[in-house]
Amino acid sequence: MRKIIAILAIPIIMLGCKNDSKTANQLDDSLKKDTAVTETAIVKDTSIIESKEANNDEEIYHTDSVNFEKFASNTELNEAKAPIAWSSYPEAKDFKTRIIEAYKTNEVGFASNYILATFGCGTSCIMGFMVDTRDGKIYDLPLGEENSCSNAEDSAIYKNNSKLFISSICKEKLGSTKVYYLAYLWDEDKKEFTSMKKEEDFLKK
């Protein structure tokens, strides 16, 4: 009787082994599929990063094309700060808090003597003022709606030792790589900005 039971048990055990083997193969295939999916996801993520890096390189290229050095202010940065002369621009008092905060915390950022206060004024719009650290007088910056664009690559670009101010770098149309510049030059004697129409005058060759 025992011999008969033993003989009958052998096929059952073999069938169980086959099932275990099939399960192992299924798990192996499943793992391979999961690995393939993971690798695909990694490849996709890498392409996104590369795409972002390419876009950043493009933005840096446009900014680096501007020849700020050509319009150097040629004076040492003024570290002293005279009190703000509100009487020089009474209308600026509407933005008193922003101007005071910027003047208190920012360093000279433009043409060796000016501290800038810039802030948003709507979609794709920036406005602002600059304060002369020597006498505290306030001046308008060439910003606002008339110096903004819907496809702006960058806005309010300047250097602490240059008199050149770039209001906006704009794409000609959405998705285009071609841009145009809204540029102004500060006249220290006249105390005013003049528009620079020819890009060859302020872009590096």
Side-chain angles (χ1 to χ4, degrees):
M1 183 72 176
R2 289 180 181 177
K3 287 181 179 180
I4 293 170
I5 292 170
I7 292 167
L8 290 172
I10 290 169
I12 294 169
I13 292 168
M14 289 178 68
L15 182 62
C17 290
K18 285 182 180 179
N19 287 339
D20 288 344
S21 177
K22 185 178 181 181
T23 304
N25 289 335
Q26 286 175 340
L27 285 172
D28 188 46
D29 290 341
S30 176
L31 286 172
K32 285 179 180 178
K33 287 179 181 178
D34 289 343
T35 304
V37 170
T38 304
E39 288 175 352
T40 303
I42 292 170
V43 170
K44 285 182 179 178
D45 287 344
T46 304
S47 66
I48 291 170
I49 292 168
E50 288 174 352
S51 176
K52 286 182 178 178
E53 287 176 350
N55 287 337
N56 287 339
D57 289 342
E58 183 181 312
E59 289 173 10
I60 291 169
Y61 168 77
H62 293 317
T63 303
D64 288 349
S65 294
V66 181
N67 192 353
F68 287 100
E69 294 76 15
K70 183 178 177 180
F71 306 96
S73 44
N74 294 324
T75 56
E76 293 184 5
L77 301 184
N78 184 30
E79 296 180 0
K81 293 182 182 180
I84 298 176
W86 296 104
S87 60
S88 66
Y89 198 146
E91 294 83 356
K93 286 185 179 180
D94 293 338
F95 308 95
K96 192 171 184 178
T97 302
R98 294 177 183 272
I99 294 172
I100 289 173
E101 183 63 24
Y103 194 62
K104 181 173 67 176
T105 59
N106 294 350
E107 297 179 352
V108 168
F110 178 69
S112 298
N113 295 295
Y114 299 90
I115 291 177
L116 279 63
T118 59
F119 39 89
C121 54
T123 306
S124 301
C125 178
I126 298 175
M127 67 174 296
F129 304 89
M130 65 182 191
V131 182
D132 191 336
T133 56
R134 295 164 295 185
D135 56 18
K137 289 184 178 180
I138 306 168
Y139 300 92
D140 253 330
L141 287 171
L143 294 170
E145 291 183 3
E146 65 274 20
N147 285 295
S148 63
C149 52
S150 57
N151 299 315
E153 283 283 301
D154 210 343
S155 302
I157 310 155
Y158 50 89
K159 289 192 175 182
N160 60 11
N161 59 352
S162 178
K163 295 178 287 185
L164 181 63
F165 187 91
I166 306 297
S167 301
S168 291
I169 300 177
C170 308
K171 285 186 177 180
E172 291 193 345
K173 58 182 179 179
L174 191 63
S176 173
T177 56
K178 193 171 182 180
V179 299
Y180 62 92
Y181 299 75
L182 301 177
Y184 290 84
L185 187 63
W186 175 248
D187 189 320
E188 185 62 41
D189 295 326
K190 294 181 179 179
K191 300 292 184 183
E192 64 183 23
F193 284 97
T194 56
S195 177
M196 301 192 74
K197 302 295 185 183
K198 297 179 180 179
E199 292 186 352
E200 58 265 29
D201 291 340
F202 59 85
L203 293 184
K204 296 175 183 176
K205 295 180 180 180

